[in-house]
């Protein structure tokens, strides 16, 4: 069993192919994974189970990822969940906005392989003292 078998990850991603690819890779690394296709679905998952980390897309239908991030950081029981933004937005202002709103890191989808995403998740969990 992997050392991170008990850590849970919530992926908020509206692209079914990318969400499935990320979920498969992250699960194969030993994490428990939940997937939400938009911010509303992400909030429903959070109401049931608080994950150890959220992998968050920015361009979502309805409420975008920045608004979702801003909203969860205002809620006491969610505010300490580490968030890694995983988006195709790569402008400095987007990265700065994500960090300003409380994201732990910002990954540009086309610049990272699935293995690198898994490594980044483990790095953030270790840094935040959440690795189980």
């Amino acid at each position: 069993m992997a050392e991170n078998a008990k850590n849970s990850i919530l992926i908020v991603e509206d692209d079914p192919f990318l969400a499935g690819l990320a979920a498969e890779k992250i699960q194969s690394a030993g994490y428990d994974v939940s997937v939400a296709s938009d911010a509303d679905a992400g909030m429903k998952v959070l109401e049931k189970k608080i994950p150890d980390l959220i992998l968050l897309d920015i361009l979502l239908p309805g409420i975008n990822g920045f608004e979702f991030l801003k909203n969860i950081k205002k809620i006491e029981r969610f505010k300490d969940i580490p968030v890694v933004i995983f988006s195709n937005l790569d402008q400095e202002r987007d990265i700065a906005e994500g960090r300003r709103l409380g994201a732990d890191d910002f990954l540009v989808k086309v610049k990272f392989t699935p293995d690198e995403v898994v490594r980044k998740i483990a790095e953030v969990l270790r840094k935040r003292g959440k690795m189980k």
Side-chain angles (χ1 to χ4, degrees), residues 9 22 24 30 57 62 64 67 76-79 86 96 100 106 122:
I9 310 299
E24 185 177 308
D57 188 16
N64 71 33
E67 286 298 314
E76 186 63 33
R77 68 185 187 278
F78 303 148
K79 70 178 180 135
F86 190 51
R100 185 185 73 75
F106 196 111

Side-chain angles (χ1 to χ4, degrees), residues 3-16:
E3 69 171 357
N4 53 6
K6 294 181 183 172
N7 282 107
S8 61
I9 310 299
L10 168 59
I11 300 169
V12 183
E13 166 65 63
D14 64 320
D15 181 309

Side-chain angles (χ1 to χ4, degrees), residues 9-19 22 35-40 42 53-70 72 83-90 94 98 101 103 105-110 117:
I9 310 299
L10 168 59
I11 300 169
V12 183
E13 166 65 63
D14 64 320
D15 181 309
F17 175 76
L18 289 177
V35 178
S37 61
D38 60 31
D40 288 337
L53 183 139
I54 298 171
L55 189 63
L56 176 64
D57 188 16
I58 295 303
L59 299 177
L60 297 169
I63 298 171
N64 71 33
F66 288 137
E67 286 298 314
F68 177 81
L69 179 57
K70 189 186 320 181
I72 66 168
V83 176
V84 175
I85 292 175
F86 190 51
S87 179
N88 279 324
L89 296 179
D90 66 350
D94 298 320
L101 293 172
D105 214 329
F106 196 111
L107 305 178
V108 179
K109 290 177 185 176
V110 297
V117 173

Side-chain angles (χ1 to χ4, degrees), residues 6 14 32 44 51 82 86 97 99 109 117 122 126 128:
K6 294 181 183 172
D14 64 320
D32 177 35
K44 287 178 182 156
F86 190 51
E97 179 68 359
R99 291 197 185 280
K109 290 177 185 176
V117 173
R126 272 193 289 280
R128 293 284 301 271

Side-chain angles (χ1 to χ4, degrees), residues 17-33:
F17 175 76
L18 289 177
L21 185 67
E24 185 177 308
K25 187 64 179 180
I26 293 166
Q27 280 176 326
S28 73
Y31 295 95
D32 177 35
V33 177

